[in-house]
Amino acid sequence: MENHIKIYYKAFGYDLNEIDKIYVPSEISDTQYNDIHHIISRGKKGADRIENLMAVTRQEHIDYGDNILYMVLLLKIHQRHLQIKNIPHNPKFFEYYIKYYTNLNELKNGEIQTTS
């Protein structure tokens, strides 16, 4: 079992020995998950930490994974999920990356005004 899956299961209190018998809901659709998704991909230095890992279906992973247009949405959904489930996490992680990806999207869309 990959490290990021262990981290997610451990944080949520799932029994690693019962992995095939446990219903783990997607944080997006509340249907059975297929993947533990790195919100910020490993290729972009995304770490194996609970703040960066969320349960998603295979289709959600394909649709939303590694697309900067959805990063803020995914981060907000995941942060709220951690709060509701009382999972210890670092709010500064979300504050930083939500701001970062909001600014990046604004730059991409030409919404940030630059001064000369």
Side-chain angles (χ1 to χ4, degrees):
M1 179 184 305
E2 293 182 61
N3 189 49
H4 67 286
I5 297 171
K6 289 178 187 176
I7 290 168
Y8 189 90
Y9 270 61
K10 203 173 198 181
F12 282 88
Y14 296 123
D15 185 344
L16 293 173
N17 297 317
E18 301 288 323
I19 192 165
D20 295 329
K21 300 175 187 171
I22 299 171
Y23 176 81
V24 179
S26 160
E27 294 181 34
I28 296 172
S29 62
D30 204 34
T31 57
Q32 177 66 30
Y33 96 104
N34 300 98
D35 297 327
I36 300 299
H37 169 56
H38 287 83
I39 301 169
I40 301 160
S41 69
R42 289 183 258 196
K44 293 181 178 161
K45 308 292 185 211
D48 285 351
R49 56 186 290 173
I50 195 58
E51 293 86 354
N52 193 41
L53 302 171
M54 73 186 300
V56 296
T57 66
R58 165 61 35 203
Q59 191 60 50
E60 291 163 350
H61 206 173
I62 292 166
D63 292 344
Y64 305 118
D66 207 26
N67 184 330
I68 67 165
L69 296 175
Y70 297 112
M71 293 298 215
V72 172
L73 175 66
L74 294 176
L75 287 162
K76 287 180 178 181
I77 289 171
H78 183 54
Q79 182 179 30
R80 184 70 182 131
H81 191 74
L82 294 174
Q83 290 168 340
I84 289 169
K85 300 290 185 179
N86 292 315
I87 306 299
H89 63 280
N90 183 352
K92 295 274 185 202
F93 175 92
F94 292 99
E95 182 182 318
Y96 175 84
Y97 282 106
I98 288 170
K99 184 176 181 179
Y100 175 81
Y101 282 106
T102 297
N103 290 339
L104 195 59
N105 282 323
E106 289 173 356
L107 277 171
K108 185 175 180 175
N109 295 326
E111 296 170 15
I112 293 180
Q113 302 297 318
T114 58
T115 56
S116 302

